[in-house]
Amino acid sequence: MTISIKPTATGSTIEQDGSTILTVDGSGNITPSNQLYPKVPAFSAYVSSNQSVAHNTFTKITYDIEHFDTNSNYDHTTNYRFTPTVAGYYQFNIRAELTTDYLGDVYVALFKNGSRIHVVGSRQDQENQGVGGSALVYANGSTDYFEGYMFHTIGSSVNTSNYAQGSHFQGFLVSV
Amino acid sequence: MATLYDKILLARPNLTVDDFYPDTGTIVLQNDATTPPAGKVAVGNDYIHTWNHATETQPTQAEIDGV
């Protein structure tokens, strides 16, 4: 491999085997020819319509509208789950917003492969309109999948809000 | 319309909300936003996921349908 530094009219270029890999301008700003960081799985989704959630029942929230999904790993049409294709440690942020304040307990939880692994947020005996939280978990990059659920003790069924900034489910790779 | 939880309390009146809590409960009701797994006692998409209560037996689908 041959690495060379060549001056230009405005700065210099660094070449590898004759191909420019970095450009440096006269102020020292460096521009790579390709992304310095590889694209990693990350997604953000919210709910498009009110979803009825029965009391005392862990219910999957159908986050069906994507803000973004960099690696097409989030299923926003059928199972509302994130199945990352890169193994590593992922942070998840989950929030569920209700249509109005209710007196009762509300929990949100992260499920991995269909089982609850973290209650990421809870509020008890208060007027609740929303609750959220985060968790850091490992994914094997092939079969592991993740979903957001909520649970409440409010008198009967309540509706989640379709307020785009209120109920959301997000995840992203932190470390391989 | 009565929920699965409502119907369970009618069928098993000795149960309380504490039996269903995430941290203390021994009974888990769940809704996966799809048809429940085959064989599960259910009302709509709500179904009995786990029943580990020490004294109360899990109601059957017929009991739930009948209350």
Side-chain angles (χ1 to χ4, degrees), chain A residues 54-60 62 80 105 107 111 114 116 119 149 151 153 156-157, chain B residues 1 3-6 17 20-23 28-34 46-47 49:
Chain A
H55 50 171
N56 303 302
T57 303
F58 268 103
T59 300
K60 186 194 297 186
T62 55
Y80 314 103
D105 301 352
Y107 297 77
F111 276 50
R116 176 168 25 116
V119 171
Y149 279 67
F151 175 101
T153 63
S156 186
S157 297
Chain B
M1 178 182 172
T3 65
L4 174 60
Y5 172 78
D6 296 331
V17 66
F20 299 83
Y21 257 65
D23 48 355
V28 177
L29 307 185
Q30 194 161 308
N31 180 326
D32 301 324
T34 188
D46 297 344
Y47 67 95
H49 178 278

Side-chain angles (χ1 to χ4, degrees), chain A residues 4 10 14 16 33 42 52 70 73-74 80 82 85 94 102-104 115 122 124 132 141 143-145 152 156 174:
Chain A
S4 57
T10 57
I14 299 174
Q16 176 180 306
S33 297
S52 179
T70 63
N73 288 161
Y74 182 69
Y80 314 103
F82 181 61
T85 53
I94 309 171
Y102 293 98
L103 182 60
S115 298
S122 65
Q124 284 93 44
T143 58
D144 286 342
Y145 62 90
H152 70 83
S156 186
V174 175

Side-chain angles (χ1 to χ4, degrees), chain B:
Chain B
M1 178 182 172
T3 65
L4 174 60
Y5 172 78
D6 296 331
K7 288 174 173 279
I8 289 174
L9 285 198
L10 288 173
R12 299 290 182 271
N14 290 328
L15 295 177
T16 71
V17 66
D18 289 342
D19 294 309
F20 299 83
Y21 257 65
D23 48 355
T24 59
T26 57
I27 301 166
V28 177
L29 307 185
Q30 194 161 308
N31 180 326
D32 301 324
T34 188
T35 303
K40 294 291 187 180
V41 175
V43 172
N45 286 344
D46 297 344
Y47 67 95
I48 299 174
H49 178 278
T50 303
W51 189 284
N52 289 323
H53 198 278
T55 57
E56 296 289 336
T57 60
Q58 177 176 323
T60 65
Q61 186 67 55
E63 285 181 277
I64 292 299
D65 292 341
V67 295

